[in-house]
């Protein structure tokens, strides 16, 4: 059992895990909707208009959550995570429009191991030889996925999309550490609102040059994507406030199943044997490295 410093409520690890898994499921559905939007109106406008709707939904979640005013520490974490997430999202959705969903998701699975290494480098956390072995194995899994991509003679844009996904995964590792800190300093509704606000404000800086008003036919998709993203963020924020990061991060791997199914049903994408093998290697490596570890515990203590 674990209690949250924010809510002082004790919940079972199984409940925290189930809520996190549900959050990942909703986020995977949002990925499919966003891929459709990116193909229709471009990555910038898909993100900007979705985030503008998310600000309104996040405000409702913040109000219903009765969070009150955020603390100074929470505001710094909201800003940091919002900026990291903006860059992460642009890279991910740009790449997702050029790479099959299952393949893109499998490449992001290196994030948990990167988060472990990041905690060691920036926070002085101890990392044993098992983590380094797992890191090498995960890299091997990435190479397997890319070899499979090479055998299919991909277009240059597909390769560039893969590089964008990998860049997004690096930022996602940073996001995982900040998310743990953030969940200890603020309630889920507050997190949903301020993250949407920071991302929207950041994207709006380029609006004079890039913004295009979407057609009315795209509005339902934008509302759906915003709703799924807000609900997912709220659920994940609640789960990470009540469970260890190393334990809950394993729910990320359920997204491969969602991505494979949604990619096939919505976009007619098929999962290659190389993608399956590479994803399996990466998942096993991450589980091996993250076993019984809380990747952000040191950072929580250091920032107190």
């Amino acid at each position: 059992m674990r209690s949250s410093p924010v809510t002082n409520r004790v919940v079972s690890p199984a409940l925290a895990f189930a809520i996190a898994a549900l959050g990942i499921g909703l986020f995977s559905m949002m990925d499919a909707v966003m891929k459709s939007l990116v193909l229709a109106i471009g990555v910038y406008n898909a993100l900007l208009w979705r985030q503008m709707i998310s600000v309104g939904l996040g405000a409702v979640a913040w109000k219903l959550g009765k969070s009150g005013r955020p603390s100074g520490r929470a505001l710094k974490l909201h800003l940091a995570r919002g900026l990291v997430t903006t860059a992460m999202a642009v890279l991910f959705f740009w790449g997702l429009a050029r790479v099959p969903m299952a393949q893109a998701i499998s490449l992001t699975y290196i994030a948990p191991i990167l988060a472990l290494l990041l905690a060691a480098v920036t926070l002085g956390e101890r990392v044993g030889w098992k983590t380094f072995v797992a890191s090498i194995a995960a890299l091997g899994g990435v190479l397997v996925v890319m070899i499979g991509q090479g055998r299919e003679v991909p277009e240059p844009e597909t390769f560039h999309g893969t590089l964008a996904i990998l860049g997004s995964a690096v930022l996602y590792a940073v996001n995982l550490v900040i998310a743990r800190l953030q969940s200890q300093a603020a309630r889920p509704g507050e997190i949903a609102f301020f993250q949407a606000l920071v991302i929207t404000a950041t994207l709006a800086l380029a609006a004079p040059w890039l913004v295009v008003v979407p057609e009315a036919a795209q509005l339902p998709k934008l509302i759906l994507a915003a709703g799924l993203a807000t609900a997912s963020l709220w659920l994940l924020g609640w789960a990470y406030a009540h469970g260890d990061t190393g334990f809950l991060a394993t729910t990320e791997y359920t997204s491969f199943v969602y991505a494979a199914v949604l990619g096939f049903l919505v976009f007619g994408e098929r999962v290659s044997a190389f993608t399956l093998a590479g994803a399996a290697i990466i998942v096993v490596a991450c589980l091996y490295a993250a076993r019984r570890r809380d990747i952000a515990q040191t950072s929580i203590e250091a920032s107190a």
Side-chain angles (χ1 to χ4, degrees):
M1 299 287 184
R2 185 184 183 93
S3 63
S4 166
V6 177
T7 63
N8 292 319
R9 182 182 177 185
V10 179
V11 300
S12 68
L15 177 59
F17 188 92
I19 295 299
L22 177 58
I24 293 298
L26 295 183
F27 208 81
S28 298
M29 296 177 195
M30 184 274 295
D31 284 342
V33 177
M34 281 297 294
K35 178 166 184 172
S36 174
L37 284 166
V38 169
L39 292 172
I41 61 177
V43 63
Y44 175 80
N45 283 284
L47 276 172
L48 177 65
W49 291 101
R50 187 202 74 180
Q51 286 304 134
M52 289 177 68
I53 298 171
S54 293
V55 170
L57 295 177
V60 173
W62 185 26
K63 182 69 174 179
L64 293 176
K66 300 179 181 179
S67 302
R69 293 185 179 182
S71 64
R73 177 171 176 268
L75 281 174
K76 291 178 182 178
L77 291 169
H78 296 328
L79 178 61
R81 190 181 178 195
L83 292 174
V84 169
T85 302
T86 300
M88 179 189 79
V90 170
L91 285 173
F92 177 77
F93 288 116
W94 187 87
L96 186 62
R98 293 158 176 79
V99 175
M101 284 188 65
Q103 182 177 314
I105 294 300
S106 68
L107 292 174
T108 66
Y109 288 161
I110 63 172
I113 277 187
L114 292 177
L116 287 172
L117 298 176
L118 179 65
V121 173
T122 62
L123 304 170
E125 250 191 38
R126 292 184 179 180
V127 173
W129 64 271
K130 292 182 179 180
T131 301
F132 287 106
V133 171
S135 301
I136 294 172
L139 180 60
V142 171
L143 291 177
V144 169
V145 174
M146 296 188 73
I147 288 172
Q149 186 184 82
R151 288 171 62 90
E152 296 173 3
V153 192
E155 298 179 1
E157 276 208 353
T158 305
F159 178 72
H160 296 155
T162 299
L163 294 182
I165 296 293
L166 290 173
S168 177
V170 174
L171 293 177
Y172 190 48
V174 179
N175 178 69
L176 279 176
V177 176
I178 299 176
R180 181 72 171 115
L181 293 169
Q182 189 184 35
S183 68
Q184 296 295 311
R187 292 177 180 271
E190 178 184 321
I191 293 173
F193 171 68
F194 278 97
Q195 177 155 329
L197 184 63
V198 172
I199 295 174
T200 302
T202 304
L203 290 171
L205 295 175
W209 301 276
L210 299 177
V211 70
V212 174
V213 178
E215 297 179 0
Q218 303 300 332
L219 186 58
K221 290 184 180 180
L222 288 166
I223 294 174
L224 177 59
L228 289 170
T230 301
S232 172
L233 188 61
W234 194 96
L235 291 173
L236 290 171
W238 187 95
Y240 274 79
H242 294 85
D244 292 340
T245 300
F247 174 63
L248 295 179
T250 58
T251 61
E252 298 283 337
Y253 306 128
T254 62
S255 60
F256 183 84
V257 177
Y258 289 108
V261 172
L262 291 169
F264 175 74
L265 293 177
V266 181
F267 303 104
E269 300 168 350
R270 296 186 179 275
V271 181
S272 71
F274 282 91
T275 297
L276 284 172
I281 293 171
I282 296 170
V283 168
V284 170
C286 289
L287 290 175
Y288 180 70
R291 187 175 49 187
R292 300 178 185 229
R293 290 183 61 93
D294 181 347
I295 63 172
Q297 187 59 45
T298 301
S299 61
I300 293 170
E301 297 168 354
S303 63

